[in-house]
Amino acid sequence: MRTALLRLLAEEGTVTATSAAGRLGYSSGLCSFHLRQLARHGRIEEVPQTGGRARPWRLRQAGGTVEEPGGSQEFGELARGLEDESYRQWLAHRGRAPQEWRHDEAFSAVVHLTPEEMSRVAEEVRQLLARYGDREDLPARRPAAARPVAVVARLFPLLDG
């Protein structure tokens, strides 16, 4: 979701939680939470207010130009940190979720792979998740009971001692 917000900010220049919710199909409260988290990590900033209640946000300025979200190592580290923080938030507050949403699924495995196999496994996971990707851009395709669910998969080699 945070990546979607960063892309939207890159496209639009500024967004409010309400406008982001309308474009992305999430609640304005959820968008507001994630916008504040992105700001807390220095990725975005509030636009100085000229009155009214709206809180517009923009990508953080760096050296006079807007930073683009992308595949940089810094962005990857930020994304992993935000994933970790989102999971800690989930653990701390899952009691507030409706009963049917109070569980999570976690699994891990250590497998012996070549670098090529590791890349192939990652691609297979991406393809599996792509089955649900249209629901991000086309909210009408979401089942009524669907909610945003974070799916985090990390593949990395285990280093000797």
Side-chain angles (χ1 to χ4, degrees), residues 2-3 6 37-38 41 43 70-86 88 152 154:
R2 292 176 186 167
T3 302
L6 290 170
Q37 294 303 308
L38 287 166
H41 288 277
R43 196 71 180 132
S72 71
Q73 181 176 350
E74 175 192 345
F75 187 73
E77 290 172 11
L78 171 69
R80 284 185 291 282
L82 292 171
E83 291 161 0
D84 292 343
E85 182 176 329
S86 291
R88 285 190 297 275
V152 179
R154 296 178 180 164

Side-chain angles (χ1 to χ4, degrees), residues 6 16 23 26 44 68 76 82 85 100 102 104 110-111 113 120 136 146-147:
L6 290 170
T16 63
R23 286 284 307 274
Y26 297 113
I44 67 172
E68 292 291 328
L82 292 171
E85 182 176 329
E100 67 272 16
R102 289 188 186 172
D104 57 61
V110 174
V111 294
L113 302 172
R120 192 169 38 238
E136 178 72 26
R147 295 184 66 148

Side-chain angles (χ1 to χ4, degrees), residues 41-155:
H41 288 277
R43 196 71 180 132
I44 67 172
E45 62 189 5
E46 266 191 272
V47 175
Q49 289 187 297
T50 58
R53 292 180 43 157
R55 292 178 70 183
W57 299 89
R58 66 182 175 205
L59 294 173
R60 196 185 84 214
Q61 301 289 325
T65 61
V66 173
E67 294 181 47
E68 292 291 328
S72 71
Q73 181 176 350
E74 175 192 345
F75 187 73
E77 290 172 11
L78 171 69
R80 284 185 291 282
L82 292 171
E83 291 161 0
D84 292 343
E85 182 176 329
S86 291
Y87 187 64
R88 285 190 297 275
Q89 287 283 330
W90 160 248
L91 291 175
H93 301 287
R94 69 177 154 193
R96 296 183 196 163
Q99 185 64 38
E100 67 272 16
W101 284 102
R102 289 188 186 172
H103 72 284
D104 57 61
E105 302 287 341
F107 56 90
S108 65
V110 174
V111 294
H112 295 263
L113 302 172
T114 66
E116 294 80 17
E117 290 170 325
M118 188 170 89
S119 295
R120 192 169 38 238
V121 168
E123 183 55 31
E124 289 171 5
V125 170
R126 283 186 200 94
Q127 288 176 7
L128 174 68
L129 295 174
R131 295 180 200 168
Y132 308 96
D134 64 342
R135 295 177 181 184
E136 178 72 26
D137 297 326
L138 302 168
R141 293 205 177 161
R142 297 178 197 159
R147 295 184 66 148
V149 172
V151 178
V152 179
R154 296 178 180 164
L155 287 81

